[in-house]
Amino acid sequence: MLSRTADHLFWMARYTERAENTARMLDVNVQTCMLPQSDEDNAQVWRALLGISELEHRFAEHYDVLGAREVIDFMVRDPANPSSVVSCLTEARENARAVRGTLTTEVWETQNQTWLDMQKMLKSNMLEDDPSKFFEWVKYRSHLSRGVTLGTMLRDEAVHFIRLGTFLERADNTARILDVKFHSGTAAPAVRDAMNQRDFYYWGALLRSVSGFEIYRKVYRDVITPARIAELLMLRADMPRSLLACMDEVVHNLGEVRNDVSADTERLAGRLRAALQFSKIDDILEAGLHDTLTRFLADINQLGNRVSRDFLVPLAA
């Protein structure tokens, strides 16, 4: 496969996944802010969301007030924000259009219709009147894109590059959510301890942001604790958005597209998976959750750069 084609497929998937992740975080924040809390706590919730995407400085350049309306506008419709839903779905559609001949008709029409419908929805008042309905629509369109891809495309290199983009982006997002939420001002003071009622809603919101609330109840059948949340979202291979589940997919798909220069990239991915696969959450907490996640984020960024170097259009110097 031509590297430019692989590059478009990879980034089409990453941008689609990023739009979904942004919608998930925004939706949970909207729900969290309905709970009784001070104005400072409310502002901290939105500040933490910007921190997840490392967008605090860019936001401050364009907005004077940090509130729900301003952050939602910045994270949904602002074209100056490369991680906004509008920017991501536009880039996903443009990358799909560039490789129209590689995609099935259903995949292309799904991407294109998502972009067209987004224009109509943003011209209406849906985002202002019922933001959760809009965020659910974004998540649904991402689910539809993945389902149509797996249901209609030949399982060749094109699908493997799409899956690589999806799971690299998902791993990065899950790690960022964990790192920021565990260290934000509203987090529980000790990750090993049980929580009060307010903390329960806070950590429940974190689980819902990765579709993990029902899964947590099924796996642990007990009270929610931050340590178990960390274990679920890092070390459980059967949790779809966990770091280990993402790395399983990355290693598998890298193996399917390997070439003469990708051995080091595969080795790095294998080390990242093994470190998660053979770890215990108590050891991670003992060593420091923040340090572990910081290293993982650096490694996943390096892995993405190596994938670009080995398979895709090289990044500009």
Side-chain angles (χ1 to χ4, degrees):
M1 175 176 288
L2 293 175
S3 62
R4 187 167 295 278
T5 299
D7 186 78
H8 286 303
L9 294 168
F10 178 83
W11 284 104
M12 177 191 77
R14 288 203 74 154
Y15 280 120
T16 301
E17 180 71 20
R18 191 174 300 176
E20 178 187 348
N21 293 334
T22 299
R24 285 175 175 275
M25 292 185 293
L26 286 168
D27 192 26
V28 168
N29 272 28
V30 168
Q31 302 301 324
T32 301
C33 287
M34 294 181 181
L35 299 172
Q37 57 187 333
S38 67
D39 291 341
E40 179 55 36
D41 285 343
N42 189 35
Q44 177 62 26
V45 168
W46 294 104
R47 190 177 295 112
L49 186 145
L50 294 172
I52 290 172
S53 302
E54 299 181 355
L55 291 169
E56 304 100 316
H57 295 302
R58 189 182 291 268
F59 176 86
E61 290 174 357
H62 296 85
Y63 296 85
D64 296 325
V65 177
L66 195 159
R69 179 179 300 178
E70 292 77 17
V71 175
I72 290 174
D73 184 77
F74 178 68
M75 296 299 293
V76 171
R77 66 170 87 237
D78 194 335
N81 175 11
S83 293
S84 70
V85 173
V86 165
S87 296
C88 289
L89 293 182
T90 298
E91 287 295 330
R93 188 244 192 183
E94 287 304 303
N95 278 284
R97 184 179 60 81
V99 289
R100 172 67 185 85
T102 304
L103 305 173
T104 60
T105 298
E106 291 91 340
V107 173
W108 159 246
E109 288 182 348
T110 298
Q111 291 286 348
N112 191 47
Q113 194 62 49
T114 297
W115 185 82
L116 292 171
D117 289 348
M118 178 182 65
Q119 309 305 312
K120 298 176 184 177
M121 296 177 78
L122 291 178
K123 289 179 181 177
S124 70
N125 292 323
M126 178 185 291
L127 187 60
E128 291 75 19
D129 296 341
D130 192 353
S132 289
K133 184 176 181 180
F134 176 80
F135 300 142
E136 283 297 323
W137 174 83
V138 175
K139 289 189 284 183
Y140 169 77
R141 296 304 297 187
S142 179
H143 297 326
L144 182 61
S145 176
R146 282 194 301 274
V148 169
T149 297
L150 292 178
T152 67
M153 287 190 66
L154 185 69
R155 301 297 174 86
D156 59 3
E157 286 186 332
V159 166
H160 295 309
F161 280 114
I162 290 172
R163 301 288 281 176
L164 265 177
T166 295
F167 288 101
L168 280 172
E169 184 67 32
R170 186 176 296 180
D172 180 271
N173 182 76
T174 298
R176 288 180 185 277
I177 288 175
L178 274 172
D179 193 31
V180 171
K181 293 294 186 180
F182 270 76
H183 291 83
S184 68
T186 55
V191 297
R192 298 178 188 272
D193 298 336
M195 56 191 71
N196 58 35
Q197 186 175 21
R198 186 176 182 278
D199 290 331
F200 171 83
Y201 286 112
Y202 176 83
W203 293 108
L206 186 155
L207 286 169
R208 289 187 177 91
S209 73
V210 290
S211 295
F213 189 81
E214 291 85 359
I215 293 175
Y216 184 99
R217 289 300 197 195
K218 185 174 183 179
V219 170
Y220 296 105
R221 301 178 183 274
D222 203 348
V223 297
I224 295 175
T225 66
R228 287 175 176 170
I229 292 173
E231 181 180 56
L232 180 72
L233 298 187
M234 294 179 71
L235 307 182
R236 296 273 317 194
D238 50 358
M239 165 61 186
R241 291 184 171 270
S242 75
L243 301 186
L244 180 53
C246 291
M247 291 312 304
D248 281 343
E249 289 285 348
V250 168
V251 168
H252 168 71
N253 286 284
L254 269 176
E256 294 294 326
V257 298
R258 64 166 54 100
N259 60 27
D260 294 338
V261 298
S262 64
D264 285 344
T265 300
E266 290 184 73
R267 196 172 294 114
L268 173 60
R271 285 201 303 268
L272 287 178
R273 180 178 67 172
L276 294 165
Q277 186 176 4
F278 298 107
S279 290
K280 292 183 177 180
I281 193 60
D282 287 341
D283 295 335
I284 291 175
L285 296 177
E286 189 70 29
L289 183 66
H290 175 65
D291 291 340
T292 300
L293 291 171
T294 298
R295 286 194 302 270
F296 180 85
L297 283 166
D299 288 338
I300 207 75
N301 181 64
Q302 182 185 7
L303 183 58
N305 290 337
R306 288 190 177 195
V307 169
S308 294
R309 180 198 66 190
D310 294 345
F311 301 102
L312 313 178
V313 177
L315 297 174

